[in-house]
Amino acid sequence: MRKALLPTLIIITTVLLLIRLFYLQVIDDSFKLKSDNNAIKIKYDYPERGYIYDRFGKLLVANQPSYDIMVIPREVKDIDTAEFCRLLHITKDDFIKRIEKARVYSPLLRSVFLPQLNKMEYAAFQEKIRKFPGFEIQKRALRDYQVHCGANVFGFITQVNDAIIKKNPYYISGDLIGKQGVEESYETILRGIKGVKYIQKDKFNRDIGPYKEGRYDTIAVQGKDITLSIDAELQQYGEELMMNKRGGIVAIEPKTGEILALVTAPSYDPALLVGRQRSRNYTMLYNDSVAKPLFDRGLLGLNPPGSPFKILTGLIALQEGVIDENTSFVCHHGFSYARGRFMKCHDSGVSQLHNGIYNSCNTYFASIYMKTLDKYRSPAIGVDVWSNHLKSFGLGEFMGYDLPTGKRGLRPTSKTYKRIYPNWAWRSTTIVSNAIGQGEVLMTPMQLANMMAAVANRGYYYTPHVIKKIKGQGIDPKFKKKHVTSIDRKHFEPVISGLFDVYNLGTARGLNVEGIDICGKTGTAENYTKINGKRVKLQDHSIFVAFAPKDNPKIAIAVYVENGYWGKRWAGPITSLMIEKYIKRKITRKDLEKRMLEGSLQAEYTKYLNIGKKNVDSLINVKPRIDSTEAEN
């Protein structure tokens, strides 16, 4: 029996190997396809990228034809280099560099030699392509922007780099990929799936037809169209109002979390990043370290929230039961909260919750903040309770929206202050500036707008998002999940009453819009920077948050204008105009509109800085209509 075991194993193993070899060589052609690579040309068919529409069905981003010249270095032989360069308007040195780059990638595989030819260049080259073996034309689709706004929302498309190719095998050299904005967030949906054709070549390297009668060929699948929650008209209007200013505007529909407008200023025409000049234009925008047009201030602008934060201070104090709406404090143009410590205030007299909100009384909110923390046996416990309430509004957290950039902000806890004050006991008086949004709390305009959406809803919000609809499939379920704050619904009404009278009796008098009940809050945030190593105070930031109408709200908004003095001066009027534009679809406050459209803060931005750099104003805050084919020349 033992003598027969070994021969039996050898026979079984040999049979199995023969069966496997037969399968690989006769039945399964996939390995043969790979081994025949040198005799097969792989040609990709790139689908059209999905179209992008606004919430009302307006076409925002379409496609236009483009042509790339591809090269297989090993097949480039005996060509008239001078004629080739003349046709494509490149130098001989440029020709050599591009060939070498392609050879480094692979002498046997196709790669991009010259991308994005316009129609005239394509026609001229196509006519003589037979004279240039090793070169061929690959048709693609570039973006064709139907609007001049929303560059930060859309993002752009660019060629993949080596790191992306190594990370994702779908992409090969020369492929395009979405970067920033929805082009990046919804890349796999918008790009579709490229088709592949395998073409058999003879011994003379001539095409002789589909390999295996096209058995392995695949058809390109067009990218899916998407509908954004953005209101293109409101977005455009917001960018116009922010001309010659810096800052951000975020508008949200409270009942859904849909982002209606996401404005960053300064901005640029998205068409600048299409065509042969895309790289040059992007470099100029990227290198502008002063205006930072590629920096999305609505999502990345991290600043003290100022007086709008008093809304949360009041709500938390009500929830913690340390006050009711009738609790009073006396203000003498400020608040003495410790020996030698005095917080200034423009208000005076007796303040309760209602008039404390519409007069923005620092004394009132500093007092109730201290009462909230002092309720607990230690300030560490008190500040953590307070911080957890803020967390329920999304503060100090990445919001989870569907855009690829953002900051979580700063929501201090006891650990924060143990780190800041390691050697002495801190207390509520130490950190009282948090009460008025001037302490360690930092928020983005997106977080401010989301806060107002939660207030408008009387205690809940949905994760902000720019996607409204994807053709043929649903959106991420997380955007339909309700997030409930830690504040009871009953506490919102007295706060909202005070916010309503901000426009009627308080700090935003004169900014009201007839026929719309707006609830809002002005804000002014101190602004410091370092110049030559010294801490210098610059002009304060202007802030305004609001929602409207008071009942059944349709829009919640935050406006942040850098170096804009106080809330009512710049951010307030812009807020009123944006709300009227969205709700009425027209503007009656022509006085405010004229002042905002014509107003400029450029002098403020250059006051303390000696800007010795190339001027790029031709790209910033200018909305030329540039056809990508013209921009290529």
Side-chain angles (χ1 to χ4, degrees), residues 309 312-314 316-318 320-323 329 334-339 341-343 362-383 385-386 426-436:
F309 191 78
L312 295 179
T313 302
I316 294 170
L318 288 169
E320 287 297 311
V322 297
I323 64 164
F329 297 91
F335 176 49
S336 180
Y337 57 91
R339 181 180 295 179
R341 300 289 183 178
F342 187 78
M343 180 184 289
N362 287 344
T363 297
Y364 178 84
F365 288 98
S367 299
I368 67 174
Y369 174 78
M370 290 173 57
K371 285 176 71 71
T372 299
L373 268 59
D374 293 342
K375 170 184 173 181
Y376 294 90
R377 68 176 184 270
S378 75
I381 296 174
V383 81
V385 170
W386 167 81
W426 53 274
R427 52 186 64 87
S428 62
T429 54
T430 312
I431 58 175
V432 69
S433 54
N434 282 334
I436 59 172

Side-chain angles (χ1 to χ4, degrees), residues 223-516:
K224 294 179 180 178
D225 297 343
I226 64 173
T227 298
L228 302 184
S229 61
I230 296 293
D231 175 352
E233 190 175 336
L234 186 68
Q235 177 78 22
Q236 177 71 51
Y237 190 56
E239 293 191 15
E240 291 171 359
L241 292 173
M242 290 295 289
M243 291 277 279
N244 297 310
K245 309 167 191 71
R246 294 178 191 165
I249 302 174
V250 181
I252 297 173
E253 184 179 66
K255 286 188 171 12
T256 63
E258 293 177 354
I259 299 172
L260 304 172
L262 180 60
V263 175
T264 183
S267 189
Y268 59 94
D269 191 321
L272 288 169
L273 297 186
V274 177
R276 292 270 288 280
Q277 298 301 316
R278 189 206 73 81
S279 181
R280 187 188 71 172
N281 290 342
Y282 180 83
T283 299
M284 292 182 69
L285 293 169
Y286 180 82
N287 288 336
D288 183 4
S289 60
V290 178
K292 300 180 180 178
L294 295 176
F295 181 78
D296 194 328
R297 286 167 163 87
L299 302 178
L300 298 170
L302 202 56
N303 291 290
S307 289
F309 191 78
K310 293 173 181 175
I311 298 169
L312 295 179
T313 302
L315 287 169
I316 294 170
L318 288 169
Q319 182 67 30
E320 287 297 311
V322 297
I323 64 164
D324 60 33
E325 55 188 291
N326 297 314
T327 303
S328 301
F329 297 91
V330 178
C331 178
H332 299 288
H333 291 292
F335 176 49
S336 180
Y337 57 91
R339 181 180 295 179
R341 300 289 183 178
F342 187 78
M343 180 184 289
K344 293 181 180 180
C345 182
H346 62 267
D347 196 17
S348 65
V350 178
S351 289
Q352 298 176 328
L353 180 64
H354 188 73
N355 66 330
I357 291 174
Y358 70 68
N359 284 330
S360 198
C361 178
N362 287 344
T363 297
Y364 178 84
F365 288 98
S367 299
I368 67 174
Y369 174 78
M370 290 173 57
K371 285 176 71 71
T372 299
L373 268 59
D374 293 342
K375 170 184 173 181
Y376 294 90
R377 68 176 184 270
S378 75
I381 296 174
V383 81
D384 283 341
V385 170
W386 167 81
S387 183
N388 284 332
H389 284 302
L390 299 182
K391 184 179 181 180
S392 74
F393 284 83
L395 273 66
E397 303 290 323
F398 289 113
M399 300 294 295
Y401 48 71
D402 52 344
L403 289 165
T405 189
K407 289 188 176 178
R408 65 190 308 164
L410 179 59
R411 171 178 48 82
T413 65
S414 60
K415 291 181 180 179
T416 307
Y417 295 111
K418 286 175 183 176
R419 186 172 62 251
I420 296 174
Y421 307 110
N423 299 320
W424 60 289
W426 53 274
R427 52 186 64 87
S428 62
T429 54
T430 312
I431 58 175
V432 69
S433 54
N434 282 334
I436 59 172
Q438 286 290 172
E440 283 68 48
V441 178
L442 297 175
M443 297 173 65
T444 63
M446 173 62 77
Q447 290 172 326
L448 281 167
N450 188 65
M451 176 191 78
M452 289 308 288
V455 174
N457 289 333
R458 279 69 171 173
Y460 69 88
Y461 68 90
Y462 292 94
T463 300
H465 52 283
V466 294
I467 194 70
K468 187 173 179 68
K469 185 169 58 176
I470 301 172
K471 187 175 181 180
Q473 71 179 70
I475 66 173
D476 194 322
K478 74 176 183 179
F479 298 132
K480 297 182 180 181
K481 180 182 178 182
K482 181 187 289 189
H483 302 276
V484 181
T485 71
S486 59
I487 309 299
D488 295 340
R489 182 180 177 89
K490 64 182 180 181
H491 296 312
F492 285 90
E493 291 305 333
V495 170
I496 289 172
S497 177
L499 294 174
F500 178 64
D501 277 336
V502 167
Y503 271 86
N504 300 312
L505 305 170
T507 54
R509 287 189 304 273
L511 299 182
N512 56 300
V513 176
E514 186 176 353
I516 303 177

Side-chain angles (χ1 to χ4, degrees), residues 150-174:
N152 61 312
V153 178
F154 303 140
F156 55 90
I157 57 174
T158 185
Q159 283 192 31
V160 294
N161 55 34
D162 291 340
I164 294 172
I165 294 171
K166 289 178 181 178
K167 185 177 180 181
N168 191 334
Y170 173 85
Y171 298 100
I172 61 172
S173 178

Side-chain angles (χ1 to χ4, degrees), residues 526-541:
E526 292 184 346
N527 175 25
Y528 291 89
T529 191
K530 280 191 176 181
I531 299 178
N532 297 326
K534 295 181 179 180
R535 189 170 185 258
V536 179
K537 187 181 187 306
L538 305 182
Q539 190 55 254
D540 294 338
H541 297 314

Side-chain angles (χ1 to χ4, degrees), residues 32-49:
K32 187 175 188 302
L33 177 60
K34 293 178 181 179
S35 69
D36 286 344
N37 237 356
N38 291 338
I40 298 170
K41 180 169 69 175
I42 301 174
K43 187 173 183 180
Y44 293 99
D45 184 15
Y46 289 91
E48 263 204 284
R49 205 166 172 88

Side-chain angles (χ1 to χ4, degrees), residues 45-53 59 61-64 140-145 154-158 160 170-171 175-193 220-226:
D45 184 15
Y46 289 91
E48 263 204 284
R49 205 166 172 88
Y51 284 30
I52 301 176
Y53 298 85
L59 180 61
V61 186
N63 298 307
Q64 57 183 309
R140 298 186 190 271
L142 293 183
R143 283 315 206 182
D144 185 16
Y145 295 98
F154 303 140
F156 55 90
I157 57 174
T158 185
V160 294
Y170 173 85
Y171 298 100
D175 280 4
L176 301 176
I177 191 172
K179 297 292 287 184
Q180 300 182 11
V182 296
E183 295 282 17
E184 180 174 336
S185 296
Y186 293 96
E187 161 68 9
T188 56
I189 289 171
L190 289 168
R191 78 183 181 197
I193 302 173
V221 178
Q222 184 170 343
K224 294 179 180 178
D225 297 343
I226 64 173

